[in-house]
Amino acid sequence: MVTARDWPFTPLQSPARPAAFSHAEADTGIDGYVLAEQLKQGIDLAPEADRLTLIRRATFDLTGLLPTPEQCDEFLADSAPDAYEQLIDRLLNSPEFGARWAQHWLDVVRYAETDGFKLDRTRRDAFRYRDYVIRSFNSDLPYDEFLRQQIAGDELEPGNPEAQIATGFLRLSPEEINGSDYRQIRQEMLDDITDVVGQSFLGLTFGCARCHDHKFDPISQREYFQLQAFFAPLKQHETTLVPDGTEQDRQYEEQLEKWEAATEAVRRSMDAMVDPLRPVVFSELVPGFDEETQAALKQDPERRDPRAAQLAMLAGKQLQRSYVRMFRRLPDDKRAQYDELAKKLAEFDKVRPQPLPTAMTAADIGPRAPATHCLEGGDYQKPGEEVQPGYLAVLSKEEPRITPLAEHPHSTGRRAALARWLTQPTHPLTARVMVNRLWQHYFGRGIVGTPNNFGVMGDEAQNPSLLDFLAVELVSEGWRLKEVHREIVSSAVYRQTSISDQNRLHERAEDVDPENELLWHAPLRRRDAESLRDAALIAAEELNTQMFGPSVLPVLPVALHEDRYAWQPTPERQAHVRRSVYLFVKRNLQYPLFTAFDHPNRVATCAARPATIGAPQALLLLNGEFLRTTSRRMAGDLIVETKGLPTELVQQAYDRAFNRSPEPDELQAALTFLRTQSQRIAQAGSPHADSLPDPLPAGFQPAQAAALVDFCQALMNSAEFVYVD
């Protein structure tokens, strides 16, 4: 008999359908499984939410944005029986769909654009992985292909640039490039990759098995390192995205030749000044490394074994960083000469071609893999038994079939074998884990409440038959995630109301299921950090929906300007109002608004963000520079749009912030606030310029404008703005 704890490890198969029953709302498979569990407890679904709530909810869940007032009006006026289905199709096909759901995936894979650790060096091309994820979700790339490309895109699709970019997943580990023991750095990166692959794709936390057999799940230490052996040959790689021989490549090479010819004398003179310092830097820096890395760096590159080549590659970054700065060691007179030469070289920048676009990718170090050993206590200095690649026995009894790849002779084929195994249609965990993640983001909690841990120490599945129904649906639909999205948002369970008279009708439900685990009403959820910022920009009608490209460095609060990890903001102001998914992600310094609203640190995988409640959140919404600036722009726009008419001002502000008109009592309260607040400000003297819209429309008094700014900011600080019904 399969127990609840054994269930996640059983092959995926179609679950038994719930016993037949009559229910007006049970119009999808999802509803049948949910209602079957509810009826066991004598409870039922809540009524369907009103149409305004539905368009707000669906638009937020599928795109992360608010619907426009025009979209709300159009939907509310549409009496067609399939109006809701058409709305869902439009949202699934929106380019903003990929941006929203990529954000969830980036949490899981701990995406960041810097290395972390003390140096926290920027990864210039990391954004291409983010853009790949957005494109993949928008195009509905089958999930099995999405997974395979990230694990082994270079091996399975060597001619596909998108598959190359996808391997950036294997480059997302934090990395200490200015360390001293590169054996330890290599091992920690392998441990991190192994752990994250387990959590993100398998929903298992088996990191403790690196030191000893898992105490709870049937995973041995030997199996941990067998799984790690699939990644043992990895090397970091920078892939040029322009194929050789194309017109763009040819033009680049021609222009580069011209620049090199024009600058040859200058560059030769500069190199002649610093090259004698190269062995000096080498002799100073390398003795501080571990002995194995020292030996690898001193060895002829052609004679290095795979492990030595990896160590030399990792340590070489620190060496290269020191070589680039050798000119600083020159005596003053030589340094002056060098600087003059550098100025001459810069004069040729106008003829120097822009570098061809590159991506942060991964590959194998060669056709042979370094040995993988079980490490005693997980200590890289205590290697034990050598192991070969292998799968977890609890999931599969088959041996990996690792074959040479004719299309990729410089690779071992190990990751390709792992990727194929992970995406078998009957794999016990792959589809279950992914559909559980989708469910989590619609209902605030997964069917398995611990999305990264389906093991013994994780939560038991609330409704395993429902999860299997969705997983089988995913596989049968060709691993197309949009079909699962459509199934979920079309269900009566999803379309329930969250607040209404059902509180009287569901007294029993509140008694038997106070946490709403059986989903007898829609959950109320707080916006995440990114969507809160985006909502403020939408209310101000400022959101720039430009897609893709290098990340935006936003303006930091003045208090952070002296922080050692502070950045210079992107010069173009219009870039500062792009969607939050395109903001720069630095491990050692988060954007303050994101920090307050539980943005993960991206050092470790984050399966589900917490939703803490604390005073700093309210203070940041009331006094933070971003919300204050956004409120000023919203107020200035409203004054122009409404010609300063108070009632119109309030109505337009409500429409922008909440997609609705104010109730009569809300309208009166708002008008009273604007009048009394402007009086207070006038009595206190002229308001500070920072509290006024810029420019201030003619004929509108500064005190009135400042009061309107306060009103707009108050709307963005309200529960209706911060929470999603």
Side-chain angles (χ1 to χ4, degrees):
M1 177 180 177
V2 176
T3 68
R5 287 308 185 190
D6 294 332
W7 159 79
F9 304 123
T10 60
L12 182 63
Q13 55 187 347
S14 296
R17 293 278 178 170
F21 56 86
S22 176
H23 195 289
E25 301 296 338
D27 54 3
T28 72
I30 287 173
D31 297 324
Y33 289 102
V34 172
L35 283 163
E37 294 300 312
Q38 289 180 348
L39 293 178
K40 291 177 184 177
Q41 301 296 329
I43 61 178
D44 203 348
L45 293 173
E48 182 167 297
D50 63 79
R51 287 169 68 87
L52 179 59
T53 298
L54 286 178
I55 187 174
R56 281 175 56 87
R57 182 187 298 169
T59 304
F60 172 73
D61 282 339
L62 288 170
T63 71
L65 304 177
L66 295 170
T68 65
E70 294 75 21
Q71 289 169 343
C72 290
D73 292 342
E74 182 180 348
F75 179 66
L76 294 177
D78 191 346
S79 60
D82 63 344
Y84 183 74
E85 288 73 19
Q86 290 186 40
L87 167 69
I88 298 307
D89 286 343
R90 175 177 65 78
L91 294 173
L92 286 171
N93 291 320
S94 165
E96 302 304 333
F97 169 81
R100 174 59 173 171
W101 285 87
Q103 190 72 66
H104 299 320
W105 183 255
L106 298 178
D107 279 0
V108 174
V109 299
R110 71 331 182 191
Y111 166 83
E113 298 176 71
T114 61
D115 287 338
F117 292 98
K118 185 177 181 180
L119 190 59
D120 206 23
R121 181 183 61 97
T122 296
R123 296 172 172 176
R124 186 189 64 182
D125 292 324
F127 74 90
R128 297 193 194 280
Y129 174 79
R130 176 206 65 207
D131 289 353
Y132 159 81
V133 176
I134 295 173
R135 286 193 297 269
S136 297
F137 286 154
N138 273 337
S139 66
D140 206 11
L141 181 72
Y143 180 65
D144 59 339
E145 189 174 345
F146 179 67
L147 187 158
R148 286 195 298 266
Q149 288 181 347
Q150 292 178 79
I151 296 289
D154 59 308
E155 293 186 327
L156 295 172
E157 303 178 54
N160 181 1
E162 286 291 285
Q164 304 291 320
I165 295 170
T167 63
F169 164 77
L170 300 168
R171 295 281 305 277
L172 296 178
S173 300
E175 180 184 355
E176 188 177 12
I177 74 163
N178 61 337
S180 59
D181 191 336
Y182 285 93
R183 300 168 303 166
Q184 179 181 0
I185 291 170
R186 173 186 179 273
Q187 186 58 48
E188 288 178 345
M189 293 174 69
L190 283 173
D191 290 344
D192 181 73
I193 291 170
T194 307
D195 295 350
V196 171
V197 166
Q199 292 171 303
S200 58
F201 297 124
L202 294 173
L204 292 175
T205 55
F206 46 68
C208 62
R210 79 177 69 145
C211 301
H212 50 72
D213 290 351
H214 204 293
K215 290 185 177 181
F216 305 101
D217 296 330
I219 302 169
S220 69
Q221 185 192 28
R222 188 175 193 275
E223 288 175 310
Y224 177 88
F225 285 103
Q226 284 183 300
L227 189 64
Q228 188 172 104
F230 286 104
F231 304 104
L234 273 177
K235 75 169 182 178
Q236 299 170 346
H237 191 60
E238 311 306 320
T239 299
T240 301
L241 298 177
V242 177
D244 292 342
T246 61
E247 180 64 19
Q248 185 179 356
D249 176 62
R250 185 185 63 77
Q251 291 180 359
Y252 171 80
E253 292 296 336
E254 288 180 357
Q255 193 65 26
L256 183 62
E257 285 183 15
K258 293 178 181 178
W259 177 82
E260 288 177 340
T263 61
E264 182 179 3
V266 176
R267 288 184 293 109
R268 189 187 304 118
S269 297
M270 294 174 71
D271 290 344
M273 296 178 71
V274 296
D275 279 350
L277 297 172
R278 191 175 295 269
V280 176
V281 171
F282 188 93
S283 63
E284 289 178 356
L285 192 60
V286 172
F289 298 161
D290 63 272
E291 291 184 359
E292 188 178 358
T293 300
Q294 289 185 48
L297 289 168
K298 294 173 182 177
Q299 192 175 21
D300 182 345
E302 298 298 323
R303 304 188 63 179
R304 291 172 183 153
D305 64 25
R307 179 180 167 93
Q310 289 175 322
L311 294 174
M313 176 198 67
L314 292 171
K317 294 181 184 181
Q318 187 175 168
L319 265 176
Q320 185 59 36
R321 185 166 174 264
S322 296
Y323 289 154
V324 168
R325 297 181 297 176
M326 288 188 299
F327 69 92
R328 299 179 182 178
R329 294 169 171 254
L330 293 169
D332 290 346
D333 57 335
K334 295 287 187 182
R335 175 65 186 273
Q337 295 177 33
Y338 187 90
D339 290 346
E340 284 299 317
L341 290 169
K343 290 179 182 178
K344 288 184 179 180
L345 184 63
E347 293 174 1
F348 293 91
D349 284 350
K350 57 182 177 296
V351 297
R352 186 176 188 176
Q354 290 296 315
L356 293 174
T358 56
M360 184 181 78
T361 62
D364 277 2
I365 200 72
R368 293 187 302 119
T372 299
H373 298 266
C374 283
L375 303 179
E376 183 181 338
D379 188 343
Y380 70 99
Q381 298 181 89
K382 297 179 180 179
E385 172 195 7
E386 183 176 349
V387 297
Q388 298 302 316
Y391 308 133
L392 302 181
V394 71
L395 299 177
S396 176
K397 303 301 182 186
E398 69 177 283
E399 293 293 323
R401 283 176 279 187
I402 300 171
T403 56
L405 302 170
E407 309 87 1
H408 207 318
H410 301 294
S411 198
T412 63
R414 291 187 175 194
R415 287 176 289 112
L418 176 64
R420 292 189 184 103
W421 173 71
L422 284 169
T423 53
Q424 294 179 91
T426 58
H427 192 285
L429 286 170
T430 305
R432 284 172 173 147
V433 168
M434 189 56 186
V435 296
N436 189 64
R437 296 194 192 281
L438 302 189
W439 188 270
Q440 165 202 340
H441 291 298
Y442 285 111
F443 296 99
R445 184 183 185 278
I447 298 170
V448 174
T450 49
N452 274 8
N453 189 1
F454 276 51
V456 171
M457 297 305 290
D459 291 349
E460 288 190 31
Q462 184 65 37
N463 194 331
S465 295
L466 170 60
L467 187 58
D468 278 359
F469 166 77
L470 291 170
V472 169
E473 182 104 340
L474 174 62
V475 176
S476 65
E477 292 290 344
W479 297 87
R480 299 283 181 178
L481 291 171
K482 284 189 179 182
E483 291 307 311
V484 180
H485 285 285
R486 183 178 284 105
E487 182 86 20
I488 292 173
V489 298
S490 298
S491 68
V493 177
Y494 177 78
R495 300 198 309 266
Q496 295 178 97
T497 186
S498 63
I499 50 172
S500 73
D501 287 342
Q502 93 269 12
N503 287 329
R504 293 197 304 272
L505 301 174
H506 282 73
E507 290 180 1
R508 173 173 172 75
E510 292 176 345
D511 291 338
V512 301
D513 184 25
E515 298 299 322
N516 192 33
E517 292 182 350
L518 296 177
L519 296 175
W520 50 272
H521 67 83
L524 189 66
R525 291 164 294 146
R526 197 193 71 196
R527 291 184 183 277
D528 53 76
E530 292 89 343
S531 65
L532 185 61
R533 175 182 174 274
D534 293 343
L537 292 172
I538 290 173
E541 295 191 349
E542 283 202 308
L543 184 68
N544 176 357
T545 57
Q546 174 193 343
M547 299 185 70
F548 310 130
S551 293
V552 177
L553 293 154
V555 176
L556 288 170
V558 175
L560 289 177
H561 286 183
E562 299 304 318
D563 190 288
R564 64 171 297 182
Y565 297 111
W567 56 71
Q568 289 297 316
T570 301
E572 298 81 15
R573 182 199 166 277
Q574 192 58 24
H576 297 167
V577 292
R578 291 187 66 190
R579 277 201 72 166
S580 297
V581 71
Y582 296 110
L583 294 193
F584 185 69
V585 182
K586 191 176 184 68
R587 282 192 161 113
N588 285 6
L589 180 64
Q590 287 193 334
Y591 188 55
L593 179 66
F594 291 178
T595 303
F597 283 90
D598 306 306
H599 192 279
N601 61 20
R602 298 287 175 80
V603 173
T605 175
C606 175
R609 296 186 188 185
T612 62
I613 299 175
Q617 295 166 344
L619 292 172
L620 194 63
L621 292 178
L622 284 170
N623 303 314
E625 294 176 32
F626 169 74
L627 263 297
R628 193 66 180 170
T629 300
T630 305
S631 299
R632 289 172 58 206
R633 292 172 183 157
M634 178 180 176
D637 200 28
L638 286 172
I639 294 169
V640 174
E641 188 174 309
T642 65
K643 297 182 173 57
L645 298 174
T647 299
E648 288 291 321
L649 280 173
V650 174
Q651 290 175 335
Q652 290 289 345
Y654 263 75
D655 203 14
R656 288 186 180 201
F658 308 135
N659 298 119
R660 67 175 179 85
S661 298
E663 298 293 335
D665 58 334
E666 292 173 323
L667 176 60
Q668 289 305 313
L671 292 173
T672 300
F673 172 84
L674 289 173
R675 184 178 63 255
T676 57
Q677 183 72 350
S678 62
Q679 289 172 354
R680 291 192 188 101
I681 293 171
Q683 290 170 1
S686 298
H688 194 277
D690 287 347
S691 66
L692 296 176
D694 183 21
L696 181 65
F700 207 79
Q701 296 302 313
Q704 294 175 290
L708 181 59
V709 173
D710 291 342
F711 175 69
C712 291
Q713 193 157 6
L715 292 182
M716 296 183 198
N717 196 32
S718 66
E720 186 173 355
F721 192 81
V722 175
Y723 284 83
V724 180
D725 182 355

